Amino acid sequence: MVLVRLFYGVLVVLAVSVLIFAGVQLLPGNAATAILGQSATPDAIRELNLQLGLDKPAASRYLSWLFGVLHGDFGTSFSTREAISGPLFTRLGNTLFLAGCTAAIAVPLALIIGFISVRYHGSVIDAFLNAITRATVALPEFFSGYLLILIFAITLAWAPSNSSISPDMPLAAKLSAISLPCATLVLAILGHMSNMTRAALIAAQSSAYVDTALLKGLSPSRILWRHVLPNAIGPIINVVAINLAYLMVGVVIVENVFVYPGLGQYMVDSISKRDIPVMQDCALLLAGIYILLNLLADVMALVANPRLRHNR
Amino acid sequence: MDRRSFIKSAGALSIAAATHSLWLGNAFAAEAEKPKKGGHLVVGVDNASSTDRLDPAFWFETYMYFVGSQVFNNLVEIDESAGLAPSLAESWSSADGSKTWVLKIRQGVQFHDGRSLGAKDVVYSLNHHRGEKSTSPVKGYLDTVSSLEATGEHEVTIKLTAPDVEFVWLLSAVHFAITAENENFDKGIGTGAFILEKFQPGVTTLTKRNPNYWNSERGHVDSVETLAMNDSTARVAALVSGSAHLINRVNPRIVSRIERMPNLKLVRAKDSMIYTFPGLSNLAPFDNVDGRLALKYAIDRQQIIDTVLGGYGTVANDNPIFPSNRYFAKDIPQRPYDPEKAQFHWKKSGFSGPLTLNVADAGFPGAVDAGQLYQQSAAKAGINLNVVRVPDDAFWNDIWQKKAFVSSNWANRPTADALLSLVFTSQSSWNESAWHVPAFDAMVKAARGEPDEARRKQIYHDIQVMLVDQGSEVIPLYADALDGCSSKIKGFTSVPGMPLSGNRAAEKIWIES
């Protein structure tokens, strides 16, 4: 089962790479004119197109890109003429740092909120938590990001409004620098995760074995932990994985709002310069992580729920 | 002379000497306090990219102009009165009817690695932009150079193929930065006030004060951190929250809010850009003078300045020469918004159908709003403008110079000639109004080589009259460059035509505790 899923995952990545390449080809404008900006002269554009190999047919450019990536060669940037892998992995590291810190806060918090909601199902606490998490889901990141800047950077001056970090910074300084983008992302994914956790637990709670457990005289907490949770863990893992995957995409906007040197900012930058190899690499990397996290969710759901392992 | 390669990027260059200095009266120029040493300056600048390089042949945007100017010096620079000031070149003179130029290079100047500056370094650095394969934005400025040699330890002689009275002005372009002979520009070894510590393209740049800086008047702060902040809201948030001392390009829409904050101030550099509406003169209705005049009378210039620029601009008269330029013709009467005259000329032009105006904010920031205002003011004259918003992507490829009527902009240039021969002469590839007038070309060429100042002024006057009355571009305004800084920042002067104090704010300012 796992191997079949893995195989499909590889197929999906390949299909995505074709889509990325085709999509990039369809963009208006051209790398040479975008790199040289308004100062481009016809001679300079012709010269640059030749240097970049843009005169070759698309199929051969696609294959050589794919061949390179499969061999760990991410190509050369059009505009800096330097290997992409260096900045690409530095940026990826920064993005994973931000996403990781977010996940470390958001996942436990979401689960706790979900549990509390279910434990006090229908009470004021449940309604209150529900209202808050729904509200955060409704806010788009660029809005909540600016809102947090307004409150915590400008009015209270507790946190910096920009999150520029560098490799040689101590961890504490890094953590303080990313506090606001991290909070923005937590707000973005928290609601979805906690609501889905709550829904999955409630669904499992309405089963007959819960009634049996109640009749046995077990305490509500014990029922929740021992009987309901194991049966709801599959969907919970799924929603957590989807949100972690979404994190990777959500950072694109957040990184730009907070001037954070991650993969998303690198990608937006390269799009404006029509730096095709960088755009392709970033998109492929983000897509790969997205697919991998979904795959992981499937596998973990299989592990958690024996019934899924057998075709009925 | 092939002038095709002149640059157009925003804020690149400045202008010729001003005979009048309206802005000298402002509070920043009048600051005469004693500079205070020390401190860590944090600046937020836009137009940064992860593809940025320290090599000036690859500087296209504000961020690198500002960072590059911390590390490198130029031969000459534009001062606060729009005049030409010495920097690494102490003096210059011309012979042979301004075909030969001799520059004296300053002595006792050290590069960051200890080497001392000589004529050979200058020759090497200028030659970096020349040559067949150069894609440098300032390649065109050196097209007329026939020879460029070191004629002494500290003397450079430049020979031109055609006389150019204002040649040295062109060397003030930020790209003509000087590094040591045979040195790789990307290492950032200059003579500037700051030594490069860390350069992370598209993220941040850190520089430390150069203890041996030759210009003792400048270089006050200990270190400068220049953050890449492309998002205009992020820049303002950083300024307001105190995480940056200084930012560039304040959005005109929020100018009034910043003005109201006591701990912040705005620095305004006049004559930074012209916003233009070029019409292709070979297509109706621009193929006759009446069509052009109708559209020039039909635009309410002040309304666009007030609405789109928050008032931070000056009314222009369809004249591409900036008021701070020493050849600006002050006596040409300003054309008013006059719907009746517009209607008269529109009828006379014989063109009736709706005219499509293609606008994108790539043309100039706020072009879409300006187009809609133009539509309303033209409608009162019975002119039916159909304003179409087009995407920013590929605007310069697919719309500009291809559609009859569009939005566009030009940054200020070191000389009047630079802009005229870039945008208005027949052979220019950026002739955005298809303005092919042999008499005009002849006048531009004559002015460039005319040694007699009075006659030169007269020729430039005639050129401006021609463009104002007959030209096929509607030029409604001169836009200001707007920077914002903390009120602790002192010594921030305004250089006409250029943002960030002529890109040299880092070495001019100091921080008051």
Side-chain angles (χ1 to χ4, degrees):
Chain A
M1 280 301 277
V2 173
L3 281 179
V4 174
R5 302 248 163 158
L6 204 63
F7 174 71
Y8 282 135
V10 172
L11 272 191
V12 172
V13 172
L14 266 181
V16 164
S17 77
V18 174
L19 284 179
I20 290 171
F21 188 83
V24 167
Q25 303 304 310
L26 290 177
L27 281 175
N30 143 301
T33 51
I35 291 167
L36 297 174
Q38 280 171 266
S39 62
T41 62
D43 289 344
I45 291 172
R46 212 174 308 118
E47 177 71 22
L48 197 57
N49 271 329
L50 222 61
Q51 285 174 23
L52 300 178
L54 286 172
D55 48 333
K56 292 190 195 117
S60 91
R61 277 184 284 136
Y62 170 72
L63 287 177
S64 70
W65 171 55
L66 191 68
F67 184 81
V69 168
L70 289 178
H71 289 76
D73 172 14
F74 285 86
T76 316
S77 155
F78 276 179
S79 32
T80 59
R81 312 289 168 83
E82 279 166 17
I84 296 169
S85 49
L88 190 69
F89 287 106
T90 316
R91 299 297 188 119
L92 177 66
N94 288 345
T95 292
L96 289 178
F97 178 64
L98 177 57
C101 290
T102 306
I105 297 171
V107 173
L109 198 61
L111 295 182
I112 292 170
I113 291 177
F115 281 128
I116 295 177
S117 292
V118 174
R119 178 68 186 79
Y120 301 98
H121 184 44
S123 73
V124 184
I125 299 173
D126 182 26
F128 174 72
L129 289 174
N130 223 341
I132 288 187
T133 51
R134 297 248 160 137
T136 62
V137 168
L139 291 179
E141 284 98 328
F142 60 85
F143 183 77
S144 51
Y146 286 140
L147 204 63
L148 290 177
I149 289 180
L150 181 66
I151 298 170
F152 293 103
I154 295 178
T155 311
L156 299 172
W158 286 353
S161 68
N162 54 296
S163 312
S164 208
I165 66 163
S166 57
D168 48 350
M169 261 164 102
L171 185 66
K174 273 190 189 173
L175 288 175
S176 134
I178 66 161
S179 51
L180 287 186
C182 190
T184 309
L185 286 170
V186 167
L187 284 182
I189 62 169
L190 185 67
H192 189 219
M193 280 196 296
S194 60
N195 278 324
M196 293 306 283
T197 305
R198 177 174 175 272
L201 290 173
I202 289 175
Q205 227 173 9
S206 62
S207 310
Y209 57 80
V210 174
D211 292 337
T212 313
L214 263 176
L215 291 173
K216 279 199 295 185
L218 295 182
S219 75
S221 301
R222 191 171 164 80
I223 294 174
L224 196 58
W225 277 107
R226 295 300 300 272
H227 295 261
V228 175
L229 184 61
N231 288 290
I233 196 84
I236 292 175
I237 289 175
N238 228 321
V239 73
V240 167
I242 286 173
N243 277 287
L244 293 187
Y246 171 79
L247 254 188
M248 295 302 294
V249 184
V251 290
V252 175
I253 298 162
V254 170
E255 283 177 5
N256 277 285
V257 169
F258 288 97
V259 201
Y260 185 77
L263 203 57
Q265 204 200 36
Y266 193 41
M267 190 162 148
V268 169
D269 237 33
S270 63
I271 290 171
S272 68
K273 289 269 188 236
R274 293 288 182 273
D275 198 333
I276 292 170
V278 181
M279 281 154 79
Q280 290 175 170
D281 289 347
C282 289
L284 189 66
L285 220 55
L286 287 174
I289 294 173
Y290 197 97
I291 293 165
L292 189 75
L293 281 167
N294 276 301
L295 194 73
L296 220 63
D298 283 354
V299 173
M300 282 174 66
L302 284 175
V303 173
N305 191 343
R307 276 176 300 178
L308 290 177
R309 281 178 234 161
H310 306 285
N311 289 327
R312 274 180 293 178
Chain B
M1 166 174 168
D2 175 24
R3 291 253 167 181
R4 283 181 302 171
S5 325
F6 274 110
I7 74 161
K8 184 183 179 193
S9 42
L13 302 160
S14 183
I15 41 171
T19 45
H20 52 105
S21 43
L22 289 167
W23 46 85
L24 269 187
N26 76 27
F28 311 117
E31 270 174 285
E33 298 152 70
K34 197 171 175 299
K36 192 176 154 292
K37 294 279 172 190
H40 178 67
L41 177 71
V42 183
V43 189
V45 180
D46 72 344
N47 273 322
S49 163
S50 51
T51 59
D52 283 339
R53 292 175 55 174
L54 284 165
D55 184 337
F58 296 89
W59 295 352
F60 301 108
E61 303 279 9
T62 324
Y63 185 86
M64 282 319 297
Y65 299 162
F66 185 68
V67 167
S69 301
Q70 293 171 33
V71 177
F72 298 108
N73 283 119
N74 290 54
L75 292 167
V76 286
E77 57 184 63
I78 304 292
D79 67 17
E80 280 71 11
S81 59
L84 192 64
S87 181
L88 290 184
E90 276 181 320
S91 63
W92 49 91
S93 58
S94 72
D96 197 11
S98 66
K99 272 177 86 172
T100 302
W101 286 89
V102 178
L103 293 102
K104 299 277 184 213
I105 309 301
R106 191 177 296 276
Q107 306 205 10
V109 176
Q110 267 188 3
F111 284 105
H112 296 155
D113 62 358
R115 278 179 275 182
S116 55
L117 171 78
K120 282 181 295 185
D121 306 311
V122 173
V123 171
Y124 168 78
S125 301
L126 294 183
N127 274 335
H128 184 61
H129 302 276
R130 297 172 74 205
E132 278 290 295
K133 293 211 161 179
S134 163
T135 52
S136 169
V138 287
K139 182 176 185 256
Y141 284 171
L142 302 178
D143 274 351
T144 54
V145 172
S146 60
S147 86
L148 176 60
E149 286 170 355
T151 45
E153 276 292 300
H154 290 90
E155 187 186 89
V156 174
T157 303
I158 302 172
K159 291 202 162 84
L160 308 178
T161 52
D164 186 351
V165 179
E166 291 186 304
F167 176 76
V168 177
W169 287 82
L170 299 176
L171 298 177
S172 69
V174 65
H175 304 82
F176 291 122
I178 305 298
T179 194
E181 191 182 19
N182 296 325
E183 189 53 83
N184 182 352
F185 268 106
D186 279 317
K187 284 195 201 156
I189 294 170
T191 56
F194 297 94
I195 299 170
L196 190 69
E197 284 275 313
K198 191 176 74 179
F199 176 59
Q200 260 186 291
V203 182
T204 180
T205 308
L206 181 69
T207 58
K208 291 253 159 82
R209 185 168 64 206
N210 175 4
N212 302 318
Y213 192 41
W214 58 271
N215 189 343
S216 55
E217 309 274 293
R218 294 199 189 161
H220 307 299
V221 297
D222 286 337
S223 52
V224 186
E225 195 174 353
T226 311
L227 295 167
M229 290 192 174
N230 294 346
D231 186 283
S232 115
T233 315
R235 278 200 306 285
V236 171
L239 180 70
V240 174
S241 67
S243 31
H245 293 107
L246 168 65
I247 60 166
N248 77 326
R249 217 179 302 244
V250 175
N251 187 338
R253 286 176 208 277
I254 55 145
V255 155
S256 58
R257 288 175 167 273
I258 297 217
E259 273 177 330
R260 269 186 268 130
M261 297 189 180
N263 56 335
L264 300 179
K265 59 187 179 184
L266 274 174
V267 181
R268 169 185 191 182
K270 284 198 169 210
D271 290 359
S272 171
M273 316 266 285
I274 40 173
Y275 290 177
T276 67
F277 291 111
L280 292 179
S281 62
N282 48 6
L283 294 176
F286 298 98
D287 55 357
N288 69 75
V289 172
D290 283 299
R292 298 173 198 161
L293 279 176
L295 288 161
K296 288 176 180 175
Y297 277 117
I299 189 166
D300 188 340
R301 299 156 201 262
Q302 190 60 48
Q303 188 190 28
I304 293 180
I305 292 175
D306 292 342
T307 313
V308 177
L309 290 180
Y312 284 90
T314 325
V315 171
N317 201 14
D318 311 312
N319 178 359
I321 305 297
F322 287 82
S324 50
N325 189 288
R326 56 184 158 144
Y327 297 114
F328 176 71
K330 271 178 281 187
D331 57 329
I332 305 177
Q334 174 64 47
R335 181 171 288 122
Y337 168 51
D338 189 336
E340 278 173 30
K341 276 194 179 157
Q343 194 161 27
F344 168 78
H345 287 290
W346 192 244
K347 286 209 175 109
K348 220 174 140 197
S349 77
F351 184 85
S352 57
L355 171 63
T356 298
L357 173 61
N358 288 280
V359 289
D361 280 348
F364 58 81
V368 177
D369 297 343
Q372 276 155 1
L373 292 171
Y374 197 177
Q375 182 179 41
Q376 287 165 17
S377 65
K380 285 184 195 146
I383 297 174
N384 186 359
L385 268 190
N386 177 25
V387 176
V388 175
R389 179 178 194 166
V390 290
D392 284 351
D393 274 352
F395 176 80
W396 303 105
N397 268 341
D398 302 340
I399 306 293
W400 182 64
Q401 289 190 313
K402 304 236 172 17
K403 304 283 184 190
F405 202 24
V406 303
S407 59
S408 173
N409 77 86
W410 295 94
N412 210 330
R413 291 291 186 286
T415 66
D417 179 55
L419 198 56
L420 292 174
S421 41
L422 182 66
V423 190
F424 296 94
T425 51
S426 302
Q427 74 272 28
S428 162
S429 62
W430 287 340
N431 191 328
E432 59 178 3
S433 56
W435 177 250
H436 302 297
V437 180
F440 179 86
D441 296 346
M443 284 198 283
V444 171
K445 196 170 176 225
R448 191 185 307 143
E450 176 57 61
D452 184 84
E453 188 65 21
R455 254 184 296 175
R456 213 169 134 76
K457 196 157 189 168
Q458 186 56 47
I459 303 173
Y460 277 127
H461 187 273
D462 295 346
I463 284 173
Q464 292 173 69
V465 169
M466 186 189 238
L467 286 176
V468 169
D469 291 341
Q470 299 168 39
S472 196
E473 293 207 17
V474 178
I475 305 175
L477 56 91
Y478 305 103
D480 300 349
L482 285 177
D483 303 322
C485 68
S486 144
S487 48
K488 282 186 204 159
I489 296 295
K490 305 285 174 186
F492 193 144
T493 56
S494 165
V495 172
M498 287 196 286
L500 295 165
S501 199
N503 292 314
R504 301 207 153 267
E507 65 177 51
K508 288 179 182 174
I509 62 187
W510 66 93
I511 306 169
E512 222 33 78
S513 44

